[in-house]
Amino acid sequence: MAYGTPPGEPRPADPRSIDLNADLGEGLGGRQLTDDEALLTMVTSANVACGFHAGDPSTMRKVCALAAARGVRIGAQVSYHDLPGFGRRPMDVPSRELADEVAYQIGALRVFAQAAGTDLAYVKPHGALYNRIVWDEGQADAVVDGILLAGGELPVLGLPGSAVHRSASAARLPVVTEAFADRAYRPDGTLVPRTEPGAVISDPEQVIKRSVMMVTEGSVFAASGERVPVAAESLCLHGDTPGAVELAVRVREALLAAGVNIRPFV
């Protein structure tokens, strides 16, 4: 099954607008992996780690306060419970347990968002969980159950055509389609696993070119050379890669130069 939007299907209503999101708050015990303050001047949505793959209460509080002050939307970046593996190790978690863990993470971050005078705007799964719920219906249903358990109709940010988007839509939760500036794609529209060579694109010029292509043309070239349709309302800029802030600046400038309006997703 192809997960990218099939040719001929409509793209978002305004293909010249894009939300920029980044993974933030990925610190723990005083160790900080992301330059949250700088990235919050570049993005319109912040995926904040909720403590299961990274993040601690003080970091969560600080990032929420900074995001609220800058008018950046806050999203709960929920994960498998895997601090040693940064949430990137495959795990098998019973559905009820996973739903509870997702609800727990959302609730924890919501406290700090509300303390900052705002609230959560969406949910984005992280790492191995994100990749798993592209195809695993059971784990996708558990994530949606966790969102519902936490209360509120939070949109789910994820890969177009994914199992979690189907589950969210069935539960009447909004879905937001996402593309990745620095991740290689397969011909079916899924991401090349990080365990494979070339999964993360490190050449800044290539990242910038791909970003503009995805937003303005609705497609990207797969690692194998095929052109893959990509319908994205939000573009992810990873914050934990070397030179992340400078790259975010350049991607944003290139999109603006191409006539793209950068704003939060609707």
Side-chain angles (χ1 to χ4, degrees):
M1 177 179 182
Y3 293 98
T5 302
E9 288 197 6
R11 298 196 65 239
D14 184 0
R16 285 286 179 169
S17 291
I18 195 71
D19 171 69
L20 295 181
N21 77 76
D23 303 342
L24 302 179
E26 291 183 329
L28 191 66
R31 179 169 174 254
Q32 189 171 339
L33 299 180
T34 52
D35 189 343
D36 298 330
E37 207 157 348
L39 285 167
L40 281 168
T41 66
M42 295 293 109
V43 300
T44 44
S45 296
N47 319 316
V48 184
C50 300
F52 270 37
H53 75 280
D56 54 37
S58 294
T59 301
M60 292 160 68
R61 179 194 56 76
K62 180 181 177 182
V63 175
C64 285
L66 288 170
R70 288 164 173 74
V72 176
R73 287 183 175 181
I74 300 170
Q77 190 168 37
V78 299
S79 169
Y80 284 130
H81 202 172
D82 178 29
L83 280 172
F86 198 63
R88 288 178 177 163
R89 298 184 298 186
M91 302 183 78
D92 290 309
V93 180
S95 294
R96 184 68 269 166
E97 184 178 334
L98 179 58
D100 291 343
E101 291 183 349
V102 167
Y104 179 92
Q105 292 175 79
I106 292 170
L109 188 65
R110 174 172 275 139
V111 167
F112 295 115
Q114 291 179 344
T118 183
D119 205 344
L120 299 186
Y122 63 97
V123 174
K124 176 184 172 178
H126 165 80
L129 180 58
Y130 186 101
N131 294 325
R132 179 75 171 264
I133 59 178
V134 167
W135 56 269
D136 190 315
E137 303 284 350
Q139 296 279 276
D141 288 346
V143 169
V144 171
D145 286 344
I147 295 171
L148 295 173
L149 181 61
E153 297 185 355
L154 291 171
V156 183
L157 184 59
L159 213 61
S162 57
V164 73
H165 272 186
R166 293 193 294 274
S167 180
S169 295
R172 300 185 180 280
L173 293 178
V175 299
V176 182
T177 54
E178 179 180 36
F180 289 81
D182 63 351
R183 290 295 306 279
Y185 279 77
R186 288 172 163 171
D188 67 355
T190 59
L191 302 177
V192 174
R194 284 180 177 267
T195 53
E196 296 183 14
V200 179
I201 298 167
S202 56
D203 178 6
E205 299 304 325
Q206 191 177 356
V207 172
I208 293 164
K209 183 177 179 180
R210 285 161 47 90
S211 298
V212 174
M213 180 181 181
M214 284 189 283
V215 176
T216 62
E217 300 181 31
S219 63
V220 69
F221 288 109
S224 50
E226 295 94 332
R227 195 179 184 105
V228 180
V230 177
E233 298 164 86
S234 186
L235 181 68
C236 180
L237 306 172
H238 280 113
D240 62 341
T241 53
V245 173
E246 181 184 353
L247 184 57
V249 170
R250 295 184 63 192
V251 168
R252 185 184 177 99
E253 289 177 347
L255 289 169
L256 291 172
V260 176
N261 179 33
I262 297 173
R263 58 166 177 76
F265 58 80
V266 177

